[in-house]
């Protein structure tokens, strides 16, 4: 009952024609009227009305851009769009490999609208996530000034980093290990780019439901694994074995799921879709305001539509897996035996195809 629609969706990739997007909320605050047009253009021109690769790319750049920030030393300016403004610098950093794809859309799009790059990233992420089944409604603040400096290298944690180093970097930006796990709910729609350079694995997803914001990635990372994806060059730096054919696992994700500092938060996300979504929304709000004075921003969250409901209310064991493969790490709660299991043999998970943006015109770059 679960497997058929999942396989059909995966094989279809993104729809050939954009589905009908539900009517979007109208602005109550007249100051947000302009941003209603920005929202509609994001939906129609960037995301093409679907929750697909461009939405995940927005979520990824929102983290990579904002986390270049420090509470204790001079780094970047936080959620300020420096990833776009200073792309000649920041896109050369190894951790930002693959971000150039969404930058190539966002930079001319923001320039045409006359909005800051920081607003394009954070407002656009909130809009994109509203198209994704199971996602929370994200806050949308606007009015960020342009970035004045590039963030330095090594501000974005990488999957090969040891956890103590990652936790220290996140603490320097103001996030606890638990809040980091909450942000990692974004991996429910993620796919790899650059960890394995093999062309066949570009877009290999992190879980079996890459077009849904759901708990599957947290459950599937807890499964015992014994092989690297076929067609790839694994093991690669930052890569771990994966439990399903075609699925890609980051080394850091496996460690988060099994480390005493984060294993219980990880398991909670695996077992509670509602809590996972709510926790992500809170962590994203904090991320979106890094380096900003909230009192000087305009809250246009009222413009963000309600995302479609989650397709599955609870995570499940994909075909070819079962509860016996769970590697229990949380010391305070056993993983339950009540989750459903899809019958049959494991089915290879196709890569997530990059979205083109045929409706994105080419604009002159803002000076």
């Amino acid at each position: 009952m679960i497997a058929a629609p999942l396989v059909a969706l995966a094989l279809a990739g993104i729809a050939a024609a954009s589905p009908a997007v539900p009517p979007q909320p109208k602005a109550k605050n007249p100051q947000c009227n302009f941003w209603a047009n920005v929202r509609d253009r994001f939906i129609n021109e960037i995301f093409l009305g679907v929750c697909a690769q461009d939405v995940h790319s927005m979520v990824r750049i929102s983290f990579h851009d904002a986390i270049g920030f420090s509470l204790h030393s001079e780094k970047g300016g936080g959620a300020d769009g420096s990833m776009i403004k200073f792309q000649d610098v920041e896109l050369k950093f190894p951790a930002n490999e693959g971000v150039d794809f969404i930058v190539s859309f966002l930079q001319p799009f923001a320039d045409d609208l006359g909005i800051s790059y920081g607003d394009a990233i954070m407002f656009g992420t909130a809009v994109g996530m509203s198209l994704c089944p199971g996602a929370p409604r994200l806050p949308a603040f606007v009015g960020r000034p342009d970035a004045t400096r590039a963030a330095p290298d090594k501000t974005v944690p990488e999957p090969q980093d040891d956890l103590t180093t990652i936790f220290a970097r996140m603490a320097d930006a103001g996030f606890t290990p638990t809040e980091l796990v909450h942000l990692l709910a974004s991996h429910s729609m993620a796919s790899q780019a650059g960890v394995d350079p093999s062309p066949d694995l570009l877009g290999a997803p992190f879980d079996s439901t890459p077009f849904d914001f759901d708990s599957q990635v947290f459950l599937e990372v807890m499964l015992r694994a014994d092989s690297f994806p076929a067609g790839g060059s694994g093991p690669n730096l930052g890569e771990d074995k994966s439990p399903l054919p075609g699925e890609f696992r980051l080394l850091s994700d496996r460690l988060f799921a099994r480390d005493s500092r984060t294993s219980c938060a990880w398991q909670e996300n695996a077992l509670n879709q509602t809590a996972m979504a709510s926790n992500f929304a809170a962590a994203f709000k904090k991320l979106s305001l890094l380096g900003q004075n909230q009192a000087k921003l305009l809250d246009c969250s009222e413009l963000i539509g309600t995302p479609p409901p989650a397709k599955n209310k609870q995570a499940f064991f994909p075909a070819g897996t079962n509860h016996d493969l769970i590697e229990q790490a949380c010391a305070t709660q056993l993983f339950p035996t009540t989750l459903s299991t899809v019958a049959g043999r494991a089915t290879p998970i196709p890569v997530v195809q990059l979205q083109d943006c045929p409706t994105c015109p080419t604009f002159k770059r803002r000076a």
Side-chain angles (χ1 to χ4, degrees):
M1 183 168 112
I2 297 175
L6 287 179
V7 172
L9 177 61
L11 291 176
I14 58 173
S18 301
V21 177
Q24 298 296 302
K26 294 183 179 179
K28 297 178 182 178
N29 182 343
Q31 291 180 285
C32 291
N33 283 334
F34 168 80
W35 290 93
N37 174 61
V38 175
R39 175 203 61 202
D40 293 345
R41 287 190 60 180
F42 259 114
I43 291 174
N44 295 319
E45 297 177 24
I46 300 294
F47 303 127
L48 309 183
V50 294
C51 176
Q53 179 63 20
D54 284 351
V55 176
H56 171 256
S57 294
M58 288 295 299
V59 178
R60 186 180 183 214
I61 195 176
S62 71
F63 176 77
H64 284 232
D65 182 67
I67 206 63
F69 174 80
S70 172
L71 295 172
H72 310 292
S73 63
E74 284 294 321
K75 285 189 168 67
D80 61 358
S82 66
M83 188 76 61
I84 301 176
K85 181 71 176 291
F86 299 100
Q87 58 188 270
D88 293 344
V89 175
E90 296 191 31
L91 293 183
K92 293 179 181 177
F93 302 156
N96 295 331
E97 185 168 351
V99 177
D100 57 323
F101 181 76
I102 195 66
V103 167
S104 70
F105 291 169
L106 279 182
Q107 179 261 314
F109 182 80
D111 288 351
D112 183 61
L113 287 164
I115 62 177
S116 73
Y117 297 142
D119 283 346
I121 290 171
M122 290 301 175
F123 185 79
T125 299
V127 172
M129 287 289 283
S130 73
L131 302 173
C132 298
R137 287 183 73 237
L138 295 180
F141 294 89
V142 294
R144 296 170 183 81
D146 280 327
T148 58
R149 63 188 186 275
D153 197 5
K154 305 298 183 183
T155 56
V156 179
E158 296 193 74
Q160 68 270 19
D161 294 342
D162 67 84
L163 295 197
T164 298
T165 298
I166 293 175
F167 294 148
R169 171 76 275 272
M170 295 301 296
D172 184 45
F175 290 86
T176 67
T178 295
E179 288 175 319
L180 171 56
V181 171
H182 293 165
L183 286 171
L184 288 172
S186 62
H187 283 187
S188 66
M189 304 186 306
S191 58
Q192 84 89 23
V195 179
D196 188 321
S198 306
D200 288 349
L201 284 193
L202 177 63
F206 291 174
D207 75 4
S208 59
T209 57
F211 300 102
D212 298 333
F213 188 86
D214 60 18
S215 295
Q216 281 304 121
V217 70
F218 290 100
L219 182 147
E220 291 170 24
V221 169
M222 293 181 69
L223 297 175
R224 185 170 65 252
D226 57 13
S227 63
F228 294 98
S233 58
N236 293 282
L237 187 66
E239 181 183 8
D240 195 57
K241 294 177 181 179
S242 52
L244 293 168
E247 186 170 291
F248 197 90
R249 179 184 287 180
L250 297 178
L251 174 60
S252 53
D253 280 357
R254 177 177 69 82
L255 297 177
F256 290 135
R258 290 156 179 80
D259 188 274
S260 61
R261 293 165 288 185
T262 46
S263 58
C264 290
W266 191 278
Q267 180 168 300
E268 179 191 19
N269 276 357
L271 296 174
N272 192 326
Q273 161 75 25
T274 301
M276 183 199 78
S278 176
N279 291 337
F280 177 80
F284 177 84
K285 178 180 179 180
K286 184 174 179 177
L287 183 77
S288 74
L289 296 173
L290 285 182
Q292 304 297 321
N293 182 343
Q294 184 177 340
K296 294 184 178 181
L297 300 180
L298 175 64
D299 186 356
C300 288
S301 303
E302 64 192 47
L303 295 177
I304 304 303
T306 301
K311 295 177 182 176
N312 298 293
K313 293 183 179 180
Q314 193 170 45
F316 56 89
F317 290 103
T321 70
N322 55 55
H323 182 275
D324 292 342
L325 296 178
I326 288 288
E327 294 187 334
Q328 176 75 45
C330 177
T332 58
Q333 181 187 20
L334 287 175
F335 199 91
T337 59
T338 54
L339 272 61
S340 62
T341 301
V342 177
R345 307 173 96 180
T347 302
I349 305 166
V351 298
V352 175
Q353 300 294 329
L354 291 178
Q355 270 182 289
D356 194 7
C357 192
T359 60
C360 292
T362 300
F363 302 111
K364 291 183 179 179
R365 183 171 181 176
R366 180 172 55 192

